[in-house]
Amino acid sequence: MQNMPDHHDMSHDHTMMQHGGQMMHMGNLKQKFWVSLIASLPILVLSPMLQVAWLPKLTFSGSDWLVLILGIFLYGYGGAPFLKGAKAELQARKPEMMTLIAIGISVAFFYSMYAFMMNHFVPANGHVMDFFWELATLIDIMLLGHWIEMNAVMAAGDALEKIAALLPSDATVISADGTPKTVPLSQVELDAVLLVKAGEKMPADGVIVAGETTVNESLVTGEARAVKKTVSDHVIGGSLNGDGTVQIKVTGTGESGYLAQVTQLVSQAQQKRSNAESIADKVAGWLVYVAVGAALVTFGAWWVLAQDFNFALARMVTVLVIACPHALGLAIPLVVARSTSLGAKHGLLMRKRQVLEVADRLDMVMLDKTGTLTAGEFVVSAYDSWDAQRTSQQVLAEFAALEQNSSHPLSVGILKAARDLKIAVPTAHEVTTIAGTGLNGIVNGQKLMIVNVRFRAF
């Protein structure tokens, strides 16, 4: 026997499983980004390089100390997620993106600290250019990229929570003596018999043991039309019962339920990285060795050629900062975020992220269910009267009168149009069905027929 958690527990457990570790590792990226961006603005405004290029020269007593304090804060606060990520990668002996980012921001920070010390305490050696503004922009861009990527994961998680929310919170159990009893869904067990009334959601997967009805499974299967169900037919938890009352024997609870399996499947898929993300990490891993090697060669070459330690050190730092993958850190998460969030918003859950990378090579898409691309509901788009003695609304009212006792999908649209326009619908008598053609009956003393274009009266 297995207890079934309610949908609130399912969504909470999924959220913790899917996002908990990442968010604990990355911290509050949104907050870190905005705080770091605000702290970066004074650094950018006071940067000598940017003042030469775009900004008016602005300095004041202690401005360089302000830049130093903000730089230390940015490195310790905004750079913390990348430093922690790099530590984990190095401990696993697998340097990837985080290691490369950590090298870039660390080199920029420590060299800027060295430049500050040289400029203030050893001025005889001349001015040494710092990299505080590169440090600030690098941290901001990388935080933005990882925040966007985390939003994509959360968007997929929200979609999964909506799936779990399809289940009701309570169920009506038929006890051994035949009396119904309402209990929380978490207390429903396998083989229990549940009573599902018209208009209620199926509390769990099961088999109908009494009664017959129609079930709308569109939110679960994509099939928009109501499916007729009778004794021995299977029903899916979360689907909407039609106008019949049935009793079902529970066959799936907890992780064995259809919705739980779908949620678990998509959750596992969302945790897997796409090919582009995996390739980017591999490239970043190789780039770590290439960048460090190129930086050392650059330092040695310029020290020999220029015979100036500060000059050679500045060139080495430049190589390491430039090697930090701004594009890889921002572009790929942005694409993944945009595509994943759009899909989740429209109810499209992808089993594998790799499908996004091959979608441009598709030649044909085949769909096996009516209503996958449409709402599956017929609506009245236009109506008119060709009889001068009848207004168009009278014609619609007479249509609705004949359709009142019909379960045909077209009748639902006609009756809805009459209700929306608040048209008084008369009573129809002697309504009969013309097989494959339509209806006939008597409305207001007149015999009327609703037929298709294939009908021939004579």
Side-chain angles (χ1 to χ4, degrees), residues 196-200 202 208 210-216 226-231 233-235 239-248:
V196 185
K197 299 178 182 179
E200 294 182 346
M202 296 293 174
I208 295 179
E212 62 178 33
T213 186
T214 57
V215 180
N216 186 338
V227 181
K228 186 176 180 180
K229 300 285 185 177
T230 186
V231 175
D233 287 338
H234 290 268
V235 294
S239 56
L240 183 63
N241 187 23
D243 53 5
T245 298
V246 294
Q247 294 181 17
I248 66 171

Side-chain angles (χ1 to χ4, degrees), residues 250-407:
V250 177
T251 60
T253 63
E255 294 182 358
S256 65
Y258 178 84
L259 284 181
Q261 293 180 42
V262 171
T263 302
Q264 184 179 11
L265 179 68
V266 178
S267 173
Q268 292 173 351
Q270 288 298 329
Q271 294 180 33
K272 297 179 181 178
R273 302 178 69 81
S274 67
N275 289 335
E277 291 174 299
S278 300
I279 292 173
D281 280 339
K282 290 180 180 179
V283 170
W286 284 105
L287 196 54
V288 170
Y289 302 107
V290 174
V292 172
L296 293 175
V297 171
T298 300
F299 175 76
W302 280 109
W303 197 2
V304 171
L305 293 174
Q307 295 294 313
D308 188 332
F309 176 81
N310 289 335
F311 186 86
L313 186 61
R315 269 61 191 167
M316 182 188 76
V317 173
T318 300
V319 171
L320 290 173
V321 171
I322 291 175
C324 192
H326 294 68
L328 290 178
L330 183 59
I332 292 178
L334 181 61
V335 173
V336 173
R338 184 60 177 166
S339 55
T340 306
S341 61
L342 282 176
K345 187 183 297 183
H346 291 85
L348 178 62
L349 300 174
M350 292 165 286
R351 292 182 58 188
K352 298 180 180 179
R353 289 188 183 182
Q354 286 83 345
V355 298
L356 297 172
E357 300 167 12
V358 299
D360 62 325
R361 300 200 294 271
L362 289 176
D363 297 320
M364 183 181 299
V365 176
M366 302 182 69
L367 305 169
D368 67 338
K369 294 184 183 297
T370 302
T372 303
L373 295 180
T374 63
E377 298 177 358
F378 291 97
V379 297
V380 175
S381 58
Y383 59 94
D384 202 352
S385 172
W386 291 351
D387 187 344
Q389 297 181 355
R390 282 186 175 90
T391 66
S392 58
Q393 289 201 352
Q394 284 178 317
V395 171
L396 180 60
E398 292 167 349
F399 261 82
L402 290 177
E403 298 283 9
Q404 282 187 97
N405 297 317
S406 173
S407 59

Side-chain angles (χ1 to χ4, degrees), residues 6-198:
D6 60 31
H7 67 268
H8 300 292
D9 292 336
M10 288 176 61
S11 62
H12 175 72
D13 291 344
H14 162 71
T15 302
M16 292 303 294
M17 176 184 67
Q18 175 77 1
H19 314 308
Q22 296 180 28
M23 290 306 293
M24 287 177 64
H25 172 62
M26 297 302 294
N28 190 334
L29 293 176
K30 179 180 179 181
Q31 177 180 315
K32 283 184 178 293
F33 168 72
W34 287 114
V35 172
S36 298
L37 180 62
I38 294 173
S40 299
L41 294 178
I43 295 178
L44 299 179
V45 172
L46 296 172
S47 170
M49 182 172 292
L50 294 185
Q51 288 178 0
V52 171
W54 297 293
L55 300 174
K57 188 170 180 62
L58 175 64
T59 57
F60 54 86
S61 177
S63 59
D64 47 354
W65 286 93
L66 175 61
V67 171
L68 174 67
I69 293 172
L70 291 174
I72 295 173
F73 169 77
L74 275 175
Y75 181 71
Y77 178 77
F82 310 112
L83 298 175
K84 293 178 182 177
K87 181 181 178 181
E89 290 179 357
L90 293 175
Q91 287 177 340
R93 296 182 181 180
K94 242 182 127 182
E96 292 180 346
M97 186 77 70
M98 289 296 178
T99 302
L100 198 54
I101 297 173
I103 289 175
I105 63 175
S106 296
V107 168
F109 172 72
F110 287 110
Y111 177 76
S112 297
M113 293 291 292
Y114 167 78
F116 181 86
M117 299 295 292
M118 293 297 293
N119 292 333
H120 284 77
F121 302 105
V122 194
N125 287 339
H127 181 76
V128 181
M129 182 181 66
D130 64 62
F131 281 78
F132 278 122
W133 76 272
E134 288 90 343
L135 169 69
T137 54
L138 187 56
I139 289 176
D140 291 344
I141 290 174
M142 291 306 172
L143 283 175
L144 176 61
H146 286 79
W147 172 29
I148 292 173
E149 184 178 24
M150 198 61 62
N151 276 345
V153 177
M154 294 297 291
D158 290 342
L160 295 181
E161 290 178 22
K162 290 178 181 178
I163 293 179
L166 294 176
L167 294 173
S169 57
D170 299 317
T172 303
V173 178
I174 304 296
S175 58
D177 59 2
T179 59
K181 179 182 179 182
T182 301
V183 299
L185 191 58
S186 58
Q187 297 181 13
V188 173
E189 299 178 339
L190 285 173
D191 297 327
V193 177
L194 307 181
L195 176 67
V196 185
K197 299 178 182 179

